[in-house]
Amino acid sequence: MDFRQLGLDPRVLRAVDDAGYTEPTPIQAAAIPVILSGKDLIGIAQTGTGKTAAFTLPLLTRLTTGHSSPGHIRALILAPTRELVVQIHENVRAYAQYLSLSVATVFGGVGEKPQIEALRRGADIIIATPGRLLDLMGRRYGNFSGIQHLVLDEADRMLDMGFLPAIRDVVRQLPKRRQTLLFSATLSREIEAVTREFLQSPQSVEIGKRSNPAETVSQSVYEVPRHLKPALLQQLLRDPALEMVLVFTRMKHGADRIARRLEQSGIRTATLHSNRSQNQRLRALSEFKGGAVRVLVATDIAARGIDVDGISHVVNFDFPPAPEDYVHRIGRTGRANAVGDAISLVSPDESNDLRALERFIHRTLPRKRLDGFDYSAPAPAASPETRRGPGPSGGRGGSPGRGPRPPGGGGGSGGSGAGPSRGGNFRPRRFR
Ligand code: AMP
């Protein structure tokens, strides 16, 4: 199927071409015609399926045909987190680059002045988190009486985060005659209730179910004593195929320790966890996306929903106890139709979690060993890591000179070979 068959504005198609997309993903093929027809829509789709473009491309097309009046807002997109708002904004800006539409964002954790100004000026599209938006609406900023389109993105997460009352208060202030689109990874009873409350005779598309990353991402396991994990990670990173790497740790301080160690060995690394300020997190993400840093070390919560194109490898530095977290983590690579690799460093105390995962995905993951790596190097004698035993974070490999002996050379990691071209957030994907 070709994007040209979907009825999108030619300028939007040009932007799609620029992004390097050759064909619509299933959710796009199904949702775009419905949205263009003006109907309400429930899209059951996870991030990684191309759902942002699925609602943005037809929304932009529809906004080109209407006209904006000064001070009015025409479309409102609500999303659960600031990171997601920023990501949607980047997508919208890229897809709207040949249109003259105005776009603004509203989210907490940053100064409100520019957001108030934007609301005063009005915008064709506002992308917002519910909390800050409600706060500003409550203070009478922004004219929402001309809203024609409302998108509730990641509605299930917004409910999980307790945003339902805020969403209700926002929606109450919008015109009844509008198009409403709701996207959610799951169709729970709560989501059904929300769709009944906010949508009218919606069509639903459920083909957004992404292929299970546990089946499509190429995965491997390195069994390694806990105290050797940092050294092994460092060795694995000698392979240039690991060009854009997301490393997961269970704890924030574990993330910081790994990042410090990698930085010391000359590998540009950033961290993403909840101890970092909003600005630090956004900077870390944008440096990672832009290629300024090669490794991003993140905790599960901070990495929820992050959408970075072209992640070549996900590394589970700590193995997650919940199989769902594993599937979520490795889903950060191999997004849309791209190729990705997932590497898990599994210490003996985590082998039960590994077995639980293998039962969950009905597969035994291939075990690998890195040539030249000394798996029997002793633990540094007085390291707190070894005293703590099977603690959750790991990441302490001992001070230089006392850690494991470095192996003789690089050695393959089972990486995926050629990676995507870097630079910019919208790159052609790698296809299998
Ligand atoms: P999303 O589900 O919106 O988080 O999208 C996941 C990623 O897929 C985004 O980073 C897009 O750049 C990419 N993408 C979206 N649509 C397509 C497409 N038709 N072909 C290839 N990649 C796409």
Side-chain angles (χ1 to χ4, degrees), residues 267-334:
I267 297 168
R268 289 299 318 278
T269 305
T271 55
L272 195 71
H273 58 65
S274 54
N275 271 9
R276 311 211 71 204
S277 71
Q278 177 61 13
N279 280 341
Q280 285 173 322
R281 278 151 64 179
L282 290 176
R283 195 177 330 121
L285 258 181
S286 82
E287 285 178 348
F288 185 53
K289 282 182 182 178
V293 303
R294 178 177 166 209
V295 180
L296 182 67
V297 189
T299 55
D300 287 288
I301 296 187
R304 281 245 158 231
I306 72 163
D307 162 27
V308 179
D309 229 2
I311 291 179
S312 65
H313 290 72
V314 165
V315 175
N316 292 310
F317 186 91
D318 293 314
F319 199 77
E324 294 81 4
D325 281 340
Y326 177 90
V327 174
H328 181 268
R329 286 180 179 188
I330 71 168
R332 302 300 94 202
T333 185

Coordinates of all heavy atoms in Angstrom, one line a residue, residues 267-334:
I267 N 33.5 6.8 26.4 CA 32.2 6.6 25.6 C 31.2 7.6 26.1 O 30.8 7.7 27.2 CB 31.7 5.1 25.9 CG1 32.7 4.1 25.4 CG2 30.3 4.9 25.2 CD1 32.4 2.7 25.9
R268 N 30.7 8.4 25.1 CA 29.8 9.5 25.5 C 28.5 8.9 26.0 O 27.8 8.1 25.2 CB 29.5 10.4 24.3 CG 30.7 11.3 23.9 CD 31.1 12.3 25.1 NE 30.1 12.9 25.8 CZ 29.4 14.0 25.4 NH1 29.7 14.6 24.3 NH2 28.4 14.5 26.1
T269 N 28.1 9.2 27.2 CA 27.0 8.6 27.8 C 26.1 9.6 28.5 O 26.6 10.5 29.1 CB 27.5 7.5 28.9 OG1 28.4 6.6 28.2 CG2 26.3 6.8 29.5
A270 N 24.8 9.4 28.5 CA 23.9 10.3 29.3 C 23.0 9.4 30.1 O 22.9 8.2 29.8 CB 23.0 11.1 28.3
T271 N 22.3 10.0 31.1 CA 21.4 9.2 31.9 C 20.0 9.8 31.9 O 19.9 11.0 31.7 CB 21.9 9.1 33.4 OG1 22.1 10.4 33.9 CG2 23.2 8.3 33.5
L272 N 19.1 8.9 32.1 CA 17.7 9.3 32.2 C 17.0 8.6 33.4 O 16.8 7.4 33.3 CB 17.0 8.8 30.9 CG 15.6 9.4 30.5 CD1 15.8 10.9 30.1 CD2 15.0 8.7 29.3
H273 N 16.8 9.4 34.4 CA 16.1 8.8 35.6 C 15.4 9.9 36.4 O 15.7 11.1 36.1 CB 16.9 7.9 36.4 CG 18.2 8.6 37.0 ND1 18.1 9.6 37.9 CD2 19.5 8.4 36.8 CE1 19.3 10.0 38.2 NE2 20.2 9.3 37.5
S274 N 14.6 9.5 37.3 CA 13.7 10.5 37.9 C 14.4 11.5 38.9 O 13.8 12.4 39.3 CB 12.6 9.8 38.7 OG 13.2 8.9 39.6
N275 N 15.7 11.2 39.2 CA 16.4 12.2 40.0 C 16.9 13.4 39.2 O 17.4 14.4 39.7 CB 17.7 11.6 40.7 CG 17.3 11.0 42.0 OD1 16.2 10.9 42.3 ND2 18.3 10.5 42.7
R276 N 16.8 13.3 37.9 CA 17.3 14.3 37.1 C 16.2 15.3 36.8 O 15.0 14.9 36.7 CB 17.8 13.7 35.7 CG 18.8 12.6 36.0 CD 19.8 12.5 34.9 NE 20.8 13.6 35.0 CZ 21.5 14.0 34.0 NH1 21.4 13.5 32.8 NH2 22.4 15.0 34.1
S277 N 16.5 16.6 36.6 CA 15.5 17.6 36.4 C 14.9 17.4 35.0 O 15.5 16.7 34.1 CB 16.1 19.0 36.5 OG 16.9 19.2 35.3
Q278 N 13.8 18.0 34.8 CA 13.1 17.9 33.5 C 14.0 18.3 32.4 O 14.1 17.7 31.4 CB 11.8 18.7 33.6 CG 11.1 18.8 32.3 CD 10.6 17.5 31.8 OE1 10.6 16.5 32.6 NE2 10.2 17.3 30.6
N279 N 14.7 19.4 32.6 CA 15.6 20.0 31.6 C 16.8 19.0 31.3 O 17.1 18.8 30.2 CB 16.2 21.3 32.0 CG 15.1 22.4 31.7 OD1 14.2 22.2 30.9 ND2 15.3 23.5 32.3
Q280 N 17.3 18.4 32.4 CA 18.4 17.4 32.2 C 17.9 16.3 31.4 O 18.6 15.7 30.5 CB 18.9 17.0 33.5 CG 19.8 18.0 34.3 CD 20.1 17.5 35.7 OE1 19.3 16.9 36.4 NE2 21.3 17.8 36.1
R281 N 16.7 15.8 31.7 CA 16.2 14.6 31.0 C 15.9 15.0 29.5 O 16.3 14.2 28.6 CB 14.9 14.2 31.6 CG 15.1 13.3 32.8 CD 14.1 13.4 33.9 NE 12.8 12.8 33.4 CZ 11.7 12.8 34.2 NH1 11.8 13.2 35.5 NH2 10.6 12.3 33.8
L282 N 15.4 16.1 29.2 CA 15.1 16.5 27.8 C 16.5 16.6 27.1 O 16.6 16.2 26.0 CB 14.3 17.8 27.8 CG 12.9 17.7 28.2 CD1 12.2 19.1 28.2 CD2 12.1 16.7 27.3
R283 N 17.5 17.2 27.8 CA 18.8 17.4 27.2 C 19.4 16.0 26.9 O 19.9 15.7 25.8 CB 19.7 18.2 28.0 CG 20.9 18.7 27.2 CD 21.9 19.6 28.0 NE 21.2 20.4 29.0 CZ 21.6 20.3 30.3 NH1 22.5 19.5 30.7 NH2 21.0 21.0 31.2
A284 N 19.3 15.1 27.9 CA 19.9 13.7 27.7 C 19.2 13.1 26.4 O 19.9 12.5 25.6 CB 19.6 12.9 28.9
L285 N 17.9 13.2 26.4 CA 17.2 12.6 25.2 C 17.6 13.2 23.9 O 17.8 12.5 22.9 CB 15.7 12.8 25.4 CG 14.9 11.6 25.9 CD1 13.4 12.0 26.0 CD2 15.0 10.4 25.0
S286 N 17.7 14.5 23.9 CA 18.0 15.1 22.6 C 19.5 14.9 22.2 O 19.8 14.7 21.0 CB 17.6 16.6 22.6 OG 18.6 17.4 23.1
E287 N 20.4 14.8 23.2 CA 21.8 14.5 22.8 C 21.8 13.0 22.3 O 22.6 12.8 21.3 CB 22.7 14.6 24.0 CG 23.0 16.0 24.4 CD 23.8 16.1 25.7 OE1 24.0 15.1 26.4 OE2 24.3 17.2 25.9
F288 N 21.1 12.2 22.9 CA 21.0 10.8 22.4 C 20.5 10.7 21.0 O 21.0 10.1 20.1 CB 20.2 9.9 23.4 CG 20.2 8.5 23.1 CD1 21.4 7.8 23.0 CD2 19.0 7.8 23.1 CE1 21.4 6.4 22.8 CE2 19.0 6.4 22.9 CZ 20.2 5.7 22.7
K289 N 19.3 11.4 20.8 CA 18.7 11.3 19.5 C 19.6 11.9 18.4 O 19.6 11.4 17.3 CB 17.4 12.2 19.5 CG 16.2 11.5 20.2 CD 15.0 12.4 20.1 CE 13.8 11.8 20.8 NZ 12.7 12.6 20.8
G290 N 20.2 13.0 18.8 CA 21.1 13.7 17.8 C 22.4 13.0 17.5 O 23.1 13.4 16.7
G291 N 22.7 12.0 18.4 CA 24.0 11.3 18.1 C 25.2 11.9 18.9 O 26.3 11.4 18.8
A292 N 24.9 12.9 19.7 CA 26.1 13.5 20.5 C 26.5 12.5 21.6 O 27.7 12.4 22.0 CB 25.7 14.8 21.1
V293 N 25.6 11.7 22.1 CA 26.0 10.6 23.0 C 25.5 9.3 22.4 O 24.5 9.2 21.8 CB 25.4 10.8 24.5 CG1 25.8 12.1 25.1 CG2 23.9 10.5 24.5
R294 N 26.4 8.3 22.7 CA 26.1 7.0 22.0 C 25.3 6.1 22.9 O 24.6 5.2 22.4 CB 27.5 6.4 21.8 CG 27.5 5.0 21.2 CD 29.0 4.6 20.9 NE 29.0 3.2 20.6 CZ 30.1 2.4 20.9 NH1 31.2 3.0 21.5 NH2 30.1 1.1 20.7
V295 N 25.5 6.3 24.2 CA 24.8 5.4 25.2 C 23.9 6.2 26.1 O 24.3 7.2 26.6 CB 25.8 4.7 26.1 CG1 25.1 3.7 27.0 CG2 26.8 3.9 25.2
L296 N 22.6 5.8 26.2 CA 21.7 6.4 27.2 C 21.4 5.3 28.3 O 20.9 4.2 27.9 CB 20.4 6.8 26.5 CG 19.4 7.5 27.4 CD1 20.0 8.9 27.9 CD2 18.1 7.8 26.6
V297 N 21.7 5.6 29.5 CA 21.4 4.7 30.6 C 20.2 5.1 31.3 O 20.1 6.3 31.7 CB 22.6 4.6 31.6 CG1 22.4 3.5 32.6 CG2 23.9 4.4 30.9
A298 N 19.2 4.2 31.4 CA 17.9 4.7 31.9 C 17.3 3.7 32.8 O 17.6 2.5 32.8 CB 16.9 4.9 30.7
T299 N 16.4 4.1 33.7 CA 15.6 3.2 34.5 C 14.3 3.0 33.8 O 13.9 3.8 32.9 CB 15.3 3.8 35.9 OG1 14.7 5.1 35.7 CG2 16.6 4.0 36.7
D300 N 13.6 1.9 34.2 CA 12.3 1.6 33.5 C 11.3 2.8 33.4 O 10.8 3.1 32.4 CB 11.7 0.4 34.1 CG 12.4 -0.9 33.9 OD1 12.4 -1.3 32.7 OD2 13.1 -1.4 34.8
I301 N 11.2 3.4 34.6 CA 10.1 4.4 34.7 C 10.4 5.6 33.8 O 9.6 6.0 33.0 CB 9.9 4.8 36.1 CG1 9.4 3.6 36.9 CG2 8.9 6.0 36.2 CD1 9.0 3.9 38.3
A302 N 11.7 6.0 33.8 CA 12.1 7.2 33.0 C 12.0 6.9 31.5 O 11.7 7.7 30.7 CB 13.5 7.6 33.4
A303 N 12.2 5.6 31.2 CA 12.2 5.2 29.8 C 10.8 4.9 29.2 O 10.7 4.7 28.0 CB 13.1 4.1 29.5
R304 N 9.8 4.9 30.1 CA 8.5 4.5 29.6 C 8.0 5.4 28.4 O 8.1 6.6 28.5 CB 7.4 4.7 30.7 CG 7.4 3.6 31.7 CD 6.1 2.8 31.7 NE 6.4 1.4 32.2 CZ 6.1 0.3 31.6 NH1 5.4 0.3 30.5 NH2 6.3 -0.8 32.2
G305 N 7.7 4.8 27.4 CA 7.1 5.6 26.3 C 8.1 6.4 25.5 O 7.7 7.0 24.5
I306 N 9.4 6.3 25.8 CA 10.3 7.1 25.0 C 10.4 6.5 23.6 O 10.4 5.3 23.4 CB 11.7 7.3 25.6 CG1 12.6 6.1 25.6 CG2 11.7 8.0 27.0 CD1 14.0 6.4 25.7
D307 N 10.4 7.4 22.7 CA 10.4 7.0 21.3 C 11.6 7.6 20.6 O 11.6 8.7 20.3 CB 9.1 7.4 20.6 CG 9.2 7.4 19.1 OD1 10.0 6.6 18.6 OD2 8.5 8.2 18.5
V308 N 12.6 6.8 20.5 CA 13.8 7.3 19.8 C 14.0 6.4 18.6 O 14.1 5.2 18.8 CB 15.0 7.3 20.7 CG1 16.3 7.8 20.0 CG2 14.8 8.2 22.0
D309 N 14.1 7.1 17.5 CA 14.3 6.3 16.3 C 15.7 5.8 16.1 O 16.6 6.5 16.5 CB 14.0 7.3 15.1 CG 13.1 6.7 14.1 OD1 12.6 5.6 14.3 OD2 12.8 7.4 13.1
G310 N 15.8 4.6 15.7 CA 17.2 4.1 15.3 C 18.0 3.6 16.5 O 19.2 3.4 16.3
I311 N 17.4 3.3 17.6 CA 18.2 2.6 18.7 C 18.6 1.3 18.1 O 17.8 0.4 17.7 CB 17.3 2.4 19.9 CG1 17.0 3.8 20.6 CG2 18.0 1.5 20.9 CD1 16.2 3.7 21.8
S312 N 20.0 1.1 18.1 CA 20.5 -0.2 17.5 C 20.4 -1.3 18.5 O 20.2 -2.5 18.1 CB 21.9 0.0 16.9 OG 22.8 0.3 18.0
H313 N 20.7 -1.0 19.7 CA 20.7 -2.1 20.8 C 20.1 -1.6 22.1 O 20.3 -0.5 22.5 CB 22.2 -2.4 21.0 CG 22.9 -3.2 19.9 ND1 23.2 -2.5 18.7 CD2 23.2 -4.5 19.8 CE1 23.8 -3.4 17.9 NE2 23.8 -4.6 18.5
V314 N 19.4 -2.5 22.7 CA 18.9 -2.3 24.0 C 19.8 -3.3 24.9 O 19.9 -4.5 24.5 CB 17.4 -2.7 24.2 CG1 17.1 -2.8 25.7 CG2 16.6 -1.5 23.6
V315 N 20.4 -2.8 26.0 CA 21.1 -3.7 26.8 C 20.4 -3.7 28.2 O 20.2 -2.7 28.8 CB 22.6 -3.2 27.0 CG1 23.3 -4.1 28.0 CG2 23.3 -3.2 25.7
N316 N 20.1 -4.9 28.6 CA 19.6 -5.1 30.0 C 20.8 -5.3 30.9 O 21.3 -6.4 31.0 CB 18.6 -6.3 30.1 CG 17.3 -6.0 29.3 OD1 16.7 -5.0 29.5 ND2 17.0 -7.0 28.5
F317 N 21.2 -4.2 31.5 CA 22.4 -4.4 32.4 C 21.9 -5.1 33.7 O 22.5 -6.0 34.2 CB 22.9 -3.0 32.8 CG 24.1 -3.0 33.6 CD1 25.4 -3.0 33.0 CD2 24.1 -3.1 35.0 CE1 26.5 -3.1 33.8 CE2 25.2 -3.2 35.8 CZ 26.4 -3.2 35.2
D318 N 20.7 -4.7 34.2 CA 20.0 -5.5 35.2 C 18.9 -6.2 34.5 O 18.1 -5.6 33.7 CB 19.5 -4.6 36.3 CG 20.6 -3.9 37.1 OD1 21.5 -4.6 37.4 OD2 20.5 -2.7 37.3
F319 N 18.7 -7.5 34.8 CA 17.6 -8.2 34.2 C 16.3 -7.9 34.9 O 16.3 -7.9 36.1 CB 17.9 -9.7 34.2 CG 17.0 -10.4 33.2 CD1 17.4 -10.4 31.8 CD2 15.9 -11.1 33.6 CE1 16.6 -11.0 30.9 CE2 15.1 -11.7 32.6 CZ 15.5 -11.7 31.3
P320 N 15.2 -7.5 34.2 CA 14.0 -7.1 34.8 C 13.3 -8.3 35.4 O 13.1 -9.3 34.7 CB 13.2 -6.5 33.7 CG 13.7 -7.1 32.5 CD 15.1 -7.4 32.7
P321 N 12.8 -8.2 36.7 CA 12.1 -9.3 37.3 C 10.7 -9.6 36.6 O 10.2 -10.7 36.5 CB 11.8 -8.9 38.7 CG 12.6 -7.7 38.9 CD 13.0 -7.1 37.6
A322 N 10.1 -8.6 36.0 CA 8.8 -8.7 35.4 C 9.0 -8.9 33.9 O 9.5 -8.1 33.2 CB 7.9 -7.5 35.7
P323 N 8.5 -10.1 33.3 CA 8.6 -10.3 31.9 C 8.0 -9.1 31.0 O 8.6 -8.8 30.0 CB 7.8 -11.6 31.7 CG 7.8 -12.3 33.0 CD 7.8 -11.2 34.0
E324 N 6.9 -8.5 31.5 CA 6.3 -7.4 30.8 C 7.4 -6.3 30.6 O 7.4 -5.6 29.6 CB 5.1 -6.9 31.5 CG 3.9 -7.8 31.5 CD 4.0 -8.8 32.7 OE1 5.0 -8.7 33.5 OE2 3.2 -9.7 32.7
D325 N 8.2 -6.0 31.7 CA 9.2 -5.0 31.6 C 10.2 -5.3 30.5 O 10.7 -4.5 29.8 CB 9.9 -4.7 32.9 CG 9.0 -3.9 33.8 OD1 8.1 -3.2 33.3 OD2 9.2 -4.0 35.1
Y326 N 10.6 -6.6 30.5 CA 11.5 -7.0 29.5 C 11.0 -6.7 28.1 O 11.7 -6.1 27.2 CB 11.8 -8.5 29.6 CG 12.8 -9.1 28.6 CD1 14.1 -9.1 28.8 CD2 12.3 -9.6 27.3 CE1 15.0 -9.6 27.8 CE2 13.1 -10.1 26.4 CZ 14.5 -10.1 26.6 OH 15.4 -10.5 25.6
V327 N 9.8 -7.1 27.8 CA 9.2 -7.0 26.5 C 9.1 -5.5 26.2 O 9.4 -5.0 25.1 CB 7.8 -7.6 26.4 CG1 7.1 -7.3 25.1 CG2 7.9 -9.1 26.6
H328 N 8.7 -4.7 27.2 CA 8.7 -3.2 27.0 C 10.0 -2.7 26.7 O 10.2 -1.9 25.7 CB 8.1 -2.5 28.2 CG 7.9 -1.1 28.0 ND1 8.9 -0.2 28.4 CD2 7.0 -0.3 27.5 CE1 8.6 1.0 28.1 NE2 7.4 1.0 27.5
R329 N 11.0 -3.1 27.4 CA 12.4 -2.6 27.2 C 12.9 -2.9 25.8 O 13.4 -2.0 25.1 CB 13.4 -3.2 28.2 CG 13.3 -2.7 29.6 CD 14.3 -3.4 30.4 NE 14.3 -3.1 31.8 CZ 15.3 -3.5 32.7 NH1 16.2 -4.3 32.2 NH2 15.3 -3.1 33.9
I330 N 12.8 -4.1 25.4 CA 13.4 -4.5 24.1 C 12.5 -3.9 23.0 O 13.0 -3.7 21.9 CB 13.6 -6.0 23.9 CG1 12.3 -6.7 23.7 CG2 14.4 -6.6 25.1 CD1 12.5 -8.2 23.2
G331 N 11.3 -3.5 23.3 CA 10.5 -2.8 22.3 C 11.0 -1.4 21.9 O 10.5 -0.8 21.0
R332 N 12.0 -0.9 22.7 CA 12.5 0.4 22.4 C 13.4 0.3 21.2 O 13.8 1.3 20.6 CB 13.4 0.9 23.6 CG 12.7 1.1 24.9 CD 11.6 2.0 24.9 NE 10.3 1.3 24.7 CZ 9.2 1.7 24.2 NH1 9.1 3.0 23.8 NH2 8.2 1.0 24.1
T333 N 13.8 -0.9 20.8 CA 14.6 -1.0 19.6 C 13.7 -1.8 18.6 O 12.7 -2.2 18.9 CB 15.9 -1.8 19.8 OG1 16.7 -1.8 18.6 CG2 15.8 -3.2 20.2
G334 N 14.1 -1.8 17.3 CA 13.3 -2.5 16.3 C 12.0 -1.9 16.2 O 11.0 -2.6 15.9

